[in-house]
Amino acid sequence: MTPFGEKLRELREARGITLKTLAADFGVSAAYLSALEHGHRGKPPWRFVQHTIAYFNIIWDEADELNRLAQLSAPRVIVDTSGLSSRATELANRLAREVKGLEPEDLAAMLAILEERKTKRKTG
C-alpha cells in the first residue's frame, strides 16, 4: 500500500463510499482505484489528487498533506548514490533488500529520524 492509497481508502471508508461509487464519480475503473489503494499503481497524477481534494472537500493543511502523500507514493523507487559515500550506497542497497522484513516500529523509527533531520535543516 502507498501513503496516498492508504489515505484515499481512509477518506472513502470514513464517508461510507464504495469503491464502485467512487470510481463512477471519478470517471475511472474500480480496478484502477483498487490498484491505487493497494499500491499496485504508482503515484497518482496531479489532476487526480486535485479531484480527490475537491471531491472530499479537503482544505488547507489536509490538502497539503494529501499532496505530500501523493509525492511519496511511488512504489518503485530509484536511489542514485553516485558521488555519495560508500555508507550511503550501502544504506540504499540494504534498505532496498530488507524493507519488506522491517517491523512497523522499525519503519516508524527510521521515518522519525528523517523527519528530525528535515526539521533541523529548516530551523538550522
Side-chain angles (χ1 to χ4, degrees):
M1 184 173 278
T2 64
F4 181 85
E6 182 176 36
K7 184 64 175 179
L8 180 61
R9 175 181 278 177
E10 178 185 305
L11 291 166
R12 183 177 60 75
E13 289 179 346
R15 289 162 177 81
I17 299 169
T18 66
L19 197 62
K20 189 174 181 178
T21 299
L22 188 63
D25 290 348
F26 275 44
V28 298
S29 71
Y32 172 76
L33 283 182
S34 178
L36 192 60
E37 286 187 359
H38 287 91
H40 301 297
R41 292 296 300 233
K43 148 176 113 163
W46 182 84
R47 288 179 156 244
F48 186 91
V49 177
Q50 297 311 304
H51 188 101
T52 303
I53 289 168
Y55 183 88
F56 289 106
N57 197 28
I58 297 171
I59 59 170
W60 305 105
D61 290 343
E62 195 175 349
D64 288 343
E65 177 65 5
L66 193 64
N67 275 307
R68 186 184 76 79
L69 293 176
Q71 293 303 310
L72 296 172
S73 289
R76 293 182 181 215
V77 179
I78 296 172
V79 180
D80 182 1
T81 62
S82 58
L84 300 179
S85 71
S86 64
R87 298 287 287 172
T89 301
E90 178 185 358
L91 174 63
N93 280 274
R94 290 193 61 193
L95 184 58
R97 189 173 53 244
E98 298 175 25
V99 69
K100 289 180 182 179
L102 293 174
E103 297 294 332
E105 57 271 9
D106 297 329
L107 296 170
M110 291 175 161
L111 288 168
I113 290 169
L114 295 174
E115 283 301 316
E116 182 180 328
R117 295 291 305 151
K118 181 179 170 183
T119 302
K120 283 182 181 178
R121 279 193 307 270
K122 283 183 179 180
T123 60

